[in-house]
Amino acid sequence: MKSVTIIGTGLMGCSIGKALKKKGYVVTGYDKSLDNLYHAKRIKAVDYISDEINEAISVSDIIMLTVPVDSIISFLNKILDVISESQIVIDAGSSKGDICKAVRNHPKRHLFVASHPMAGSECSGPSKSQPDLFWNKKVVICEEELSSKETLKIASKVFYDLGMEETFLSPEDHDIAVALVSHLPQVISYVYAGMEEFFNDEDNSWQELA
C-alpha cells in the first residue's frame, strides 16, 4: 500500500493529503503546530497524525516537505540521515538553489527529488485546502540527474496522481523564472494592496473604476 508522510499540514500539505487519499495513499501528517496538525485530521486531509518527527518519518515510504524553504533546509539533511534505501523525500519549496546546495553532497542525495509544484492560493491554512489544487498544474523538478531512476519513478507517480505535468530546470533557471512570473508579481500586489488610498473611506472612487 502506498504511504506518504506530509511534513507541514498547512494549505499545500493538506491539499496534497486530500488528493493522495483519493488515490488510495495512506497519509500521515506532522507539524510543529499542533493546531494545524489536529485540524488536518479533523478535515480528513490525513489518516494519521504524529507530533514526533522521527516517528512520522518512519511510517511511510514517501516523505513530502511542504514547509517554508528555510524549514526545508533545516529538515532535509536530518531526514536523509535517517531514512532507509526504500524511502524517498520530495520537497515543495518555492525556491530551489539553497535547498539543492544544502544536500548536493549528501550520501543519500539519490533518494531526494527537488521539486516545486506551481500551485497555490492567496489563502493559507488547512481549512483552505482543496484536493484539486494541483490539477493540470506544472511541477518543476531540479537536478533530476542526482536522483536515482527509482526515486524519480516514484515521485513521478505522486505528481501524476496529483494531476501535475512535469518540467525540468536547473535550480538557477528555476529561481530566475519563478522570481519573474510569481515572486515579483506577488511582492508588487502586496505593496499595491497596502496603499493607504485603498483604506480612505472619504474617497473610494477607485472602487467604481475597478
Side-chain angles (χ1 to χ4, degrees), residues 93-104:
S94 60
S95 65
K96 306 287 5 135
D98 289 342
I99 291 171
C100 289
K101 286 177 186 175
V103 294
R104 190 164 289 151

Side-chain angles (χ1 to χ4, degrees), residues 155-169:
S156 291
K157 182 62 167 63
V158 172
F159 298 136
Y160 176 83
D161 288 337
L162 289 172
M164 306 201 79
E165 178 186 347
E166 296 176 348
T167 188
F168 299 89
L169 291 172

Side-chain angles (χ1 to χ4, degrees), residues 8-26:
T9 52
L11 170 74
M12 295 284 283
C14 286
S15 294
I16 289 172
K18 287 178 176 180
L20 293 183
K21 280 184 62 179
K22 286 188 170 186
K23 295 294 183 178
Y25 290 72
V26 175

Side-chain angles (χ1 to χ4, degrees), residues 62-209:
I62 303 161
I63 316 299
M64 296 196 71
L65 284 161
T66 58
V67 290
V69 170
D70 288 348
S71 296
I72 290 172
I73 292 171
S74 66
F75 272 123
L76 192 48
N77 276 291
K78 297 173 185 177
I79 293 173
L80 288 174
D81 284 343
V82 300
I83 63 171
S84 71
E85 288 289 331
S86 63
Q87 296 174 286
I88 74 163
V89 185
I90 304 168
D91 89 295
S94 60
S95 65
K96 306 287 5 135
D98 289 342
I99 291 171
C100 289
K101 286 177 186 175
V103 294
R104 190 164 289 151
N105 298 316
H106 195 285
K108 293 181 182 175
R109 172 61 181 84
H110 60 287
L111 299 177
F112 169 60
V113 173
S115 75
H116 179 198
M118 297 294 295
S121 169
E122 74 281 6
C123 303
S124 62
S127 62
K128 303 299 183 181
S129 59
Q130 44 190 308
D132 60 350
L133 183 67
F134 304 96
W135 193 254
N136 285 334
K137 303 296 195 309
K138 298 275 191 182
V139 57
V140 181
I141 297 175
C142 297
E143 294 188 333
E144 72 277 8
E145 70 279 3
L146 299 182
S147 305
S148 72
K149 289 183 179 179
E150 183 61 22
T151 298
L152 281 173
K153 179 180 176 182
I154 295 169
S156 291
K157 182 62 167 63
V158 172
F159 298 136
Y160 176 83
D161 288 337
L162 289 172
M164 306 201 79
E165 178 186 347
E166 296 176 348
T167 188
F168 299 89
L169 291 172
S170 70
E172 296 77 17
D173 287 345
H174 165 275
D175 289 354
I176 291 171
V178 171
L180 289 173
V181 303
S182 178
H183 294 162
L184 181 59
Q186 186 174 31
V187 169
I188 292 171
S189 68
Y190 277 128
V191 173
Y192 187 60
M195 292 174 62
E196 64 178 277
E197 285 80 1
F198 288 115
F199 303 97
N200 185 346
D201 292 334
E202 295 179 4
D203 181 12
N204 58 4
S205 57
W206 63 269
Q207 293 183 6
E208 295 180 12
L209 296 179

